[in-house]
Amino acid sequence: MFYLVKSNCIVVQSGGPTAVINNSLAGLIDSIEYSRFKGEVYGAIGGIQGLLEERYINLTSLKDDDKFRLRWTPGAALGTCRHKITFDEVENIINSFKKHSIHYFFYIGGNGSMYVANIINNIAIKMGYSLIVIGIPKSIDNDLLGTDHSPGYGSAAKFLATSLLDVKMDVASYKGGRRVTIIEAMGRHTGWLAAACSLATFQHDESQTFIYIPESSFYLEKCINQINESYRNKMDTFLIISEGIKNENGQIINENEIEYDSLNRPKLGGVSNYLNQVIEAETGIQTRSITPSIWQRSSILLSSKTDVEEAYEIGKAAWDYAMKEYSGVMIGMEREKDSDNNYIVVYKEKQLEEVASKEKFVPLKWYDEVKNRMTDDFISYVKPLIQGEMIVPMTNGLPKYKYVI
C-alpha cells in the first residue's frame, strides 16, 4: 500500500458550495488522522485552479478546534472555482503530484467534478503514475447519479421548505388577499429543490401551491388559468419555479434574457421576475417574486442534521475506500432500513465513468403534471433528508465560522 512509503494526499473542493460541504472535508481529515497514514494532507486553494497553480495548503497541522468549527461553516473553506480543464492541464496536475509525492486525490464536487476526477484517473493510468482517485459527492441540486441523494441537498431542501412556510404564514395574515407569490429555486435541469417546497404545508392552509420543474413542460396559459381560479376562490397563490423550466418546445422561459458563463452554460436565474411581469400584466393580480439565490445553499442555521452527519460520514468513507485501494470511484449513498424500519444509508463505491457528467432527474411518477404537485412517494423520499437541527455556536449573537485559507 502507498502509505508504507513516502506518500501524500490532496483534497479539492469544486463547483458551487453547500451548507455542509466542509463536513466532508472534516470527515476525510479526521479519518486520515485516525489511520496509520504518516504522509501530509494538502488542500488545493481555490478548487481546480489551485491544482493548476500549485497553491497548496498543509492541512495536517490544522488544530482540532479549527477542524471542528468547519462542521458548522458553510461555503467551501478551501475555496472553489469553475474551470473547463484541458488534457494538457491534467498532465501538468499529474506532474505536480509527482513532485509533491501525492498519491491520493480526493475531489469533492458535483457531476462535472466527477467528470474531471475521471479524466485525472484515466490520464494518471496512461502516464503510469500510481494515484488513487476518489470522488466525494456534493450537490444542492441532487442531480448526481450513483447516489440516493447528494450531501447538501437535504439542507437546501429544508431551507426552501421552511422559507416558503414562513412566507405563507406572513401572507395568511392578510385575509382575502388573493396575491400571487413566485419563489424561484435553483435547478438548471432538475427540479429536486423546487419539489422540496411540497413539504411546506400547515393546518388550515387556505392558499394554492403549484410547483413547476424542468422535467415537465411549463405552459403559461395553464399557469394563468390556475392563478385566476385561485383568485375566484379568494385564495392566495404560490408558484414554486425551478430556474431552468422550459416550455413545450424545450426553450428556457426567459431565453431572450439569458447570458452564458465561462463553461458556455446559460446563466440561469431571473425567470421569477420575468413571470412576475407577465402574470401581473395578464391577470391584473398583485404579484411579487422572491429569489433566494445562494441563500438556499449557504444557510447553516436551517441545515439538516441528517445532511450534516451524512456529509461528514461520506468523507470518512472516502478514506476507508482509499485504504482498500479503490480508485476511479465516487462514494455513493444507498438507502436502507434497519430492523425497526428506520431510515439509514450505507456508503458504497460507484465507478466514476458511470456517473461523470450525467444527471439524475426527478421521476415523473413522483410529479402530478395535471395539478403541478408532488406525489406522496416524493414526500416519503425527501422527508428523512431534512430531519434534525444543527446547533451552531454563536459569538455576539452571530455564528462563529472558520475558513482554512
Side-chain angles (χ1 to χ4, degrees):
M1 289 187 179
F2 294 137
Y3 65 83
L4 297 177
V5 298
K6 175 61 177 175
S7 181
N8 299 316
C9 302
I10 194 162
V11 56
V12 181
Q13 295 175 315
S14 182
T18 76
V20 302
I21 187 173
N22 295 322
N23 279 274
S24 296
L25 174 62
L28 175 63
I29 297 172
D30 278 346
S31 195
I32 294 172
E33 183 179 308
Y34 297 149
S35 74
R36 292 190 294 153
F37 187 74
K38 301 300 182 184
E40 304 294 337
V41 182
Y42 297 114
I45 299 175
I48 199 73
Q49 203 68 46
L51 284 183
L52 294 172
E53 299 171 5
E54 291 191 27
R55 290 188 287 128
Y56 301 164
I57 184 172
N58 195 322
L59 301 173
T60 310
S61 58
L62 194 63
K63 295 178 182 178
D64 287 343
D65 286 349
D66 290 340
K67 189 168 46 181
F68 187 56
R69 281 169 60 190
L70 286 175
R71 298 205 57 188
W72 64 77
T73 298
L78 291 173
T80 184
C81 72
R82 298 187 189 278
H83 174 77
K84 189 172 184 179
I85 199 165
T86 67
F87 287 99
D88 287 343
E89 287 175 329
V90 173
E91 290 186 0
N92 291 337
I93 289 171
I94 303 298
N95 288 328
S96 174
F97 288 172
K98 288 180 181 179
K99 183 168 65 174
H100 293 276
S101 298
I102 292 170
H103 291 282
Y104 295 88
F105 172 56
F106 298 92
Y107 206 21
I108 306 174
N111 44 31
S113 299
M114 296 307 119
Y115 170 77
V116 173
N118 189 48
I119 291 176
I120 290 175
N121 180 67
N122 291 338
I123 292 183
I125 292 171
K126 288 182 181 179
M127 293 175 66
Y129 185 67
S130 297
L131 181 68
I132 283 182
V133 177
I134 306 285
I136 302 175
K138 68 87 204 164
S139 171
I140 66 164
D141 291 337
N142 199 38
D143 58 354
L144 268 156
L145 283 179
T147 185
D148 176 81
H149 55 281
S150 300
Y153 171 65
S155 294
K158 183 168 186 164
F159 174 86
L160 278 173
T162 304
S163 298
L164 174 57
L165 191 57
D166 289 346
V167 172
K168 279 189 172 185
M169 299 304 292
D170 183 275
V171 170
S173 302
Y174 300 90
K175 302 303 179 184
R178 299 180 177 181
R179 299 178 180 180
V180 177
T181 302
I182 307 171
I183 297 179
E184 181 177 323
M186 286 181 170
R188 181 176 295 273
H189 299 134
T190 63
W192 295 101
L193 280 174
C197 289
S198 57
L199 294 167
T201 58
F202 63 97
Q203 195 173 13
H204 308 306
D205 186 351
E206 297 180 353
S207 63
Q208 289 277 20
T209 303
F210 302 102
I211 295 172
Y212 304 98
I213 61 177
E215 289 86 348
S216 179
S217 297
F218 175 79
Y219 296 91
L220 179 59
E221 184 178 354
K222 178 185 176 184
C223 178
I224 296 293
N225 290 338
Q226 289 169 323
I227 292 169
N228 285 329
E229 179 68 20
S230 295
Y231 186 83
R232 285 192 292 271
N233 292 327
K234 299 182 179 180
M235 302 176 76
D236 292 303
T237 304
F238 292 87
L239 308 180
I240 314 303
I241 310 288
S242 289
E243 62 183 359
I245 58 169
K246 300 177 179 66
N247 62 23
E248 64 272 26
N249 298 317
Q251 295 175 316
I252 296 173
I253 299 302
N254 57 329
E255 189 171 35
N256 294 334
E257 302 174 355
I258 296 295
E259 297 179 353
Y260 290 80
D261 64 15
S262 59
L263 301 179
N264 201 34
R265 299 182 307 182
K267 291 182 178 180
L268 300 183
V271 63
S272 57
N273 183 59
Y274 169 80
L275 287 175
N276 187 333
Q277 298 176 49
V278 172
I279 290 169
E280 201 160 63
E282 290 282 335
T283 66
I285 301 172
Q286 183 179 354
T287 305
R288 61 183 162 193
S289 59
I290 301 171
T291 306
S293 187
I294 62 173
W295 274 322
Q296 58 201 289
R297 73 185 190 198
S298 61
S299 175
I300 194 68
L301 290 174
L302 279 176
S303 62
S304 151
K305 186 177 181 182
T306 296
D307 194 26
V308 169
E309 292 176 347
E310 289 178 349
Y312 180 77
E313 290 298 325
I314 208 167
K316 291 174 60 179
W319 182 248
D320 292 341
Y321 275 97
M323 286 293 90
K324 296 173 185 176
E325 298 191 322
Y326 280 84
S327 187
V329 299
M330 180 191 80
I331 310 304
M333 290 187 283
E334 292 187 5
R335 184 181 302 224
E336 295 184 353
K337 293 184 178 180
D338 63 15
S339 57
D340 295 321
N341 209 35
N342 296 315
Y343 161 88
I344 59 171
V345 296
V346 294
Y347 302 92
K348 296 186 177 180
E349 83 286 356
K350 307 293 178 180
Q351 294 299 312
L352 282 172
E353 61 186 14
E354 295 177 3
V355 302
S357 291
K358 297 176 182 176
E359 292 178 300
K360 178 180 69 181
F361 300 97
V362 177
L364 282 178
K365 64 181 180 180
W366 287 356
Y367 182 63
D368 186 331
E369 294 187 276
V370 176
K371 296 181 179 180
N372 298 108
R373 295 174 183 170
M374 306 312 298
T375 67
D376 290 341
D377 286 337
F378 173 79
I379 300 296
S380 297
Y381 166 82
V382 75
K383 259 189 178 179
L385 310 185
I386 68 163
Q387 299 305 308
E389 287 71 48
M390 181 70 169
I391 305 301
V392 179
M394 313 288 277
T395 300
N396 296 322
L398 295 174
K400 188 176 182 180
Y401 295 146
K402 169 65 182 176
Y403 281 97
V404 174
I405 54 176

